Amino acid sequence: MFGEGSAVISGIHTQPYLLLEKTGMADKLGRENIYDNINSALNRARELIGTEGKSKDSGSSPE
């Protein structure tokens, strides 16, 4: 983890992800913070800030 903050990555493609793996950055960022879609990344971000299940626009999401 990074001091007082965290980073959540969304929409990463294969080649950049492989570079994160090769350089060790995937471990430093935390694999639990790297997602291929925005909804999962937003859920993780909410978890990190302690607002699980509370979204600003509590309407249905297009999935």
Side-chain angles (χ1 to χ4, degrees):
M1 218 32 116
F2 301 106
E4 294 184 33
S6 298
V8 178
I9 296 178
S10 173
I12 192 164
H13 293 277
T14 303
Q15 187 175 5
Y17 181 77
L18 291 174
L19 185 60
L20 289 179
E21 285 287 335
K22 183 177 180 178
T23 61
M25 283 303 294
D27 289 326
K28 290 183 180 185
L29 288 169
R31 285 180 179 80
E32 68 277 7
N33 296 322
I34 303 172
Y35 296 91
D36 62 354
N37 68 73
I38 189 67
N39 290 327
S40 295
L42 288 172
N43 287 337
R44 174 63 176 155
R46 288 183 191 106
E47 181 182 306
L48 288 171
I49 62 172
T51 59
E52 298 97 355
K54 300 176 187 174
S55 78
K56 190 173 181 179
D57 61 280
S58 58
S60 61
S61 61
E63 293 194 39

